[in-house]
Amino acid sequence: MTREGGGGNILARVFFPPGDAAAQALAVWGVFAVGFVTRPLGALLFGHFGDTRGRGITLLLSVLGMGVPTVLIGCLPGYTEIGIAAPALLVALRAVQGIAMGGEFGTALVYLYEVAPEHQKGLLSSLGCVCLGLGVALGAAVVAAVGAFMPPASLVTLGWRIPFLASSLTLVAAIIVRFNMPE
């Protein structure tokens, strides 16, 4: 996707009205920002849920809240198919992702701390940050691979969907792990 100026440029063309490329780019950055702005809400909601219902169920719900919207983004029709509903649905899915990510990160760090042996609490808790970085790197690698192997015209029609739909594989793996975690 890098030949087209990055994945954001492609998403701008898919989800926003044609015409002003700068307005499209700003709109994509706005959608991206929604996922960050909603994270504190997720931290509060999932933090409370983790304290009252347990970390295991909270972590399962948070991974579903991140993974399902990611796959659904890959299924969304674009602006040319459904008009303004396309960016509205994209924003809604990003908000759900952000809330879930806000809950996931804090809950995962607390969970790792709680289950770690006394002499390894700091080390094992830091794995949450390490895994976050690895996940971002994996996502970037998938986007780069798709961009390297698909013709530019195919990226706008189908190629942009591949990383989102491929995330269903990591979602299934995460669900299996979450079902097998000790509380």
Side-chain angles (χ1 to χ4, degrees):
M1 291 187 210
T2 55
R3 292 178 294 190
E4 290 287 313
N9 183 33
I10 291 169
L11 294 178
R13 291 169 55 190
V14 170
F15 286 104
F16 296 98
D20 187 354
Q24 285 180 326
L26 286 173
V28 166
W29 282 107
V31 169
F32 189 67
V34 166
F36 287 94
V37 172
T38 55
R39 285 182 185 186
L41 174 61
L44 289 171
L45 293 173
F46 281 85
H48 173 71
F49 194 74
D51 287 342
T52 59
R53 308 288 184 190
R55 308 273 182 245
I57 186 67
T58 303
L59 288 168
L60 177 62
L61 292 174
S62 66
V63 81
L64 287 169
M66 289 184 301
V68 171
T70 302
V71 174
L72 290 176
I73 289 171
C75 300
L76 279 179
Y79 185 85
T80 57
E81 289 84 23
I82 61 171
I84 195 69
L89 289 169
L90 182 61
V91 167
L93 290 171
R94 280 292 294 154
V96 172
Q97 284 177 321
I99 290 168
M101 180 58 195
E104 169 76 15
F105 192 68
T107 303
L109 294 179
V110 169
Y111 176 81
L112 289 169
Y113 182 84
E114 289 176 343
V115 300
E118 193 62 42
H119 66 284
Q120 292 183 316
K121 288 193 179 292
L123 174 65
L124 293 180
S125 296
S126 70
L127 290 178
C129 295
V130 171
C131 290
L132 175 64
L134 291 174
V136 170
L138 175 62
V142 170
V143 168
V146 169
F149 292 107
M150 291 197 77
S154 296
L155 289 174
V156 176
T157 58
L158 175 67
W160 71 269
R161 296 178 187 278
I162 293 171
F164 291 100
L165 298 175
S167 73
S168 62
L169 300 174
T170 56
L171 175 60
V172 169
I175 290 169
I176 291 168
V177 167
R178 298 295 163 90
F179 270 117
N180 293 293
M181 290 176 17
E183 182 62 41

